[in-house]
Amino acid sequence: MTALGLALAELPAKLAAHVALSAAALALAIVVAVPTVLLARRRPRLRAAALGLAGLIQTVPALALLALFYPALLALRQVAGIDVPVLGPVPALLALALYALLPLLRGGIGGLASVDPAVVEAADAIGMTPGQRLVSVELP
């Protein structure tokens, strides 16, 4: 079999691993972003800090971010005794999740900030709890 044939034979497995890594990173970013957005919707300082930190992370080049994870994960290994791989999919997962945070935070915070204050006031006036207001008025 030729080199091209071998590469094509490996393509489905490599593509599946890539999609799984990307999906896991997006899921991790969503797990971090959703509570952050919900906490930041009424706290301007937290909102500014979260968007600023995510923006700062976004400015770091991908290769540099992966290089920064190497000593950080080594330190985690030594200090906490956690056997985490310092090379391979774990640093890539963390880097991709960090890169996904800014669009998620910006979209979530912007979406909740764009809700008309009169609609929120009307929801309060009819006696909605904060949870009901969030689910029925602000999120849609």
Side-chain angles (χ1 to χ4, degrees), residues 38-136:
L38 293 177
L39 288 172
R41 70 187 170 125
R42 301 276 185 240
R43 295 173 180 88
R45 295 175 103 188
L46 178 60
R47 184 180 323 136
L51 287 173
L53 182 62
L56 178 69
I57 291 168
Q58 200 79 22
T59 64
V60 177
L63 192 56
L65 190 59
L66 286 173
L68 290 172
F69 276 123
Y70 184 77
L73 292 174
L74 275 178
L76 184 64
R77 241 187 198 183
Q78 292 175 349
V79 172
I82 299 172
D83 189 26
V84 60
V86 296
L87 296 174
V90 172
L93 173 76
L94 294 174
L96 287 171
L98 287 174
Y99 280 131
L101 274 179
L102 182 62
L104 292 172
L105 289 174
R106 193 182 296 157
I109 289 171
L112 289 176
S114 69
V115 175
D116 187 4
V119 175
V120 174
E121 186 178 339
D124 288 336
I126 63 169
M128 284 188 168
T129 65
Q132 289 172 327
R133 185 182 68 219
L134 175 69
V135 171
S136 300

